[in-house]
Amino acid sequence: MKFQMKAGWAAAAALFVVATMVEAKAPLTLPPVGPDRAVSDARTGLLVVFSSPETGLLSTHLPDNSRPHSDYALQLGDGTPLRTVDNRSGALGGDPEAVILPAGSYRIVARANGYGRVVVPVIVGVGETTTVHLEGGAPNPASFASRADQVRLPDGRVVGWRADHPSK
């Protein structure tokens, strides 16, 4: 009986170590994503991040029993932490939070479907909205002038506009 309990604890500890090692791997880093459409303020812009949905938080209040977007870390362009964004908005919490920021360079560390944590440099433009899609619901490809205008994940899914795209 004692041997079975010790074996059970050993198996649980090994599983914990493996799970920790998987989560601790270095995040994927993508090229900068830039703004795509106008907002009203003359000194600030908006950042909207469609991060991977929360795991295990099935919501019966959201359409199709979907999950809310996961929180993400917002940093200055040099990696200095600003805050963690509680990425739930809207009447039922199913929309991502639109964050008002002074125009400038930032980084987000967020979860992307199929990739775990990713680092995405973003540019917030004056009066513009920068939108990042990490949940797998890419923007309409027809809205891009060319493939060169897009930031993509390694599997080809569109994340958003390239910050230095020529259509701007």
Side-chain angles (χ1 to χ4, degrees):
M1 181 67 149
K2 284 186 179 181
F3 176 74
Q4 287 178 336
M5 287 180 61
K6 287 182 181 180
W9 282 107
L15 183 61
F16 175 75
V17 169
V18 169
T20 303
M21 288 170 44
V22 168
E23 182 62 29
K25 72 179 182 179
L28 173 68
T29 300
L30 300 174
V33 173
D36 60 358
R37 59 182 186 254
V39 293
S40 61
D41 192 301
R43 295 175 309 266
T44 62
L46 291 177
L47 174 62
V48 179
V49 178
F50 289 85
S51 55
S52 178
E54 287 284 354
T55 56
L57 293 178
L58 188 64
S59 174
T60 57
H61 303 293
L62 297 177
D64 302 323
N65 291 329
S66 60
R67 292 176 169 85
H69 296 282
S70 55
D71 297 346
Y72 64 92
L74 178 61
Q75 304 171 344
L76 294 175
D78 65 3
T80 303
L82 282 178
R83 67 182 179 114
T84 298
V85 175
D86 179 12
N87 205 17
R88 291 163 198 78
S89 184
L92 301 174
D95 298 321
E97 183 69 27
V99 179
I100 300 170
L101 293 167
S105 298
Y106 299 90
R107 288 178 10 152
I108 61 168
V109 180
R111 287 185 33 231
N113 278 347
Y115 291 94
R117 290 182 312 138
V118 297
V119 176
V120 184
V122 294
I123 308 297
V124 174
V126 172
E128 296 180 312
T129 299
T130 298
T131 305
V132 179
H133 288 272
L134 300 172
E135 86 293 13
N140 179 1
S143 68
F144 296 96
S146 75
R147 188 174 174 94
D149 291 344
Q150 305 163 2
V151 172
R152 292 176 171 263
L153 289 166
D155 66 3
R157 286 183 286 157
V158 175
V159 172
W161 288 98
R162 184 170 297 280
D164 59 354
H165 64 87
S167 301
K168 304 262 343 138

